[in-house]
Amino acid sequence: MAINIELIKSLNGRSDKQVATANSLGLRKIGDKTCQPDNPQTKGKVKVISHLIKVTEA
């Protein structure tokens, strides 16, 4: 299984940890989308930046 993640809010003014987490998922600009495996590591990253992204099942 996999999840689709889309960045819907800007990374400007966010903490270094949040920006690094978004970058590790491949999200750099608003509107960027990525498909990631549905595992505990990805879920932890999603939790850190949940207020900046939209997550859907793939």
Side-chain angles (χ1 to χ4, degrees):
M1 287 189 43
I3 54 176
N4 291 323
I5 305 170
E6 180 180 4
L7 187 64
I8 57 171
K9 291 190 179 178
S10 174
L11 296 174
N12 287 345
R14 306 296 176 183
S15 70
D16 291 343
K17 181 179 179 181
Q18 290 173 344
V19 173
T21 301
N23 288 338
S24 73
L25 288 170
L27 305 170
R28 286 164 179 76
K29 300 189 303 186
I30 295 175
D32 281 355
K33 297 178 184 177
T34 184
C35 186
Q36 298 289 327
D38 189 8
N39 59 33
Q41 292 83 8
T42 303
K43 287 182 180 179
K45 292 176 183 179
V46 165
K47 187 175 180 181
V48 170
I49 59 170
S50 62
H51 58 291
L52 303 175
I53 59 175
K54 179 172 67 173
V55 179
T56 56
E57 293 291 327

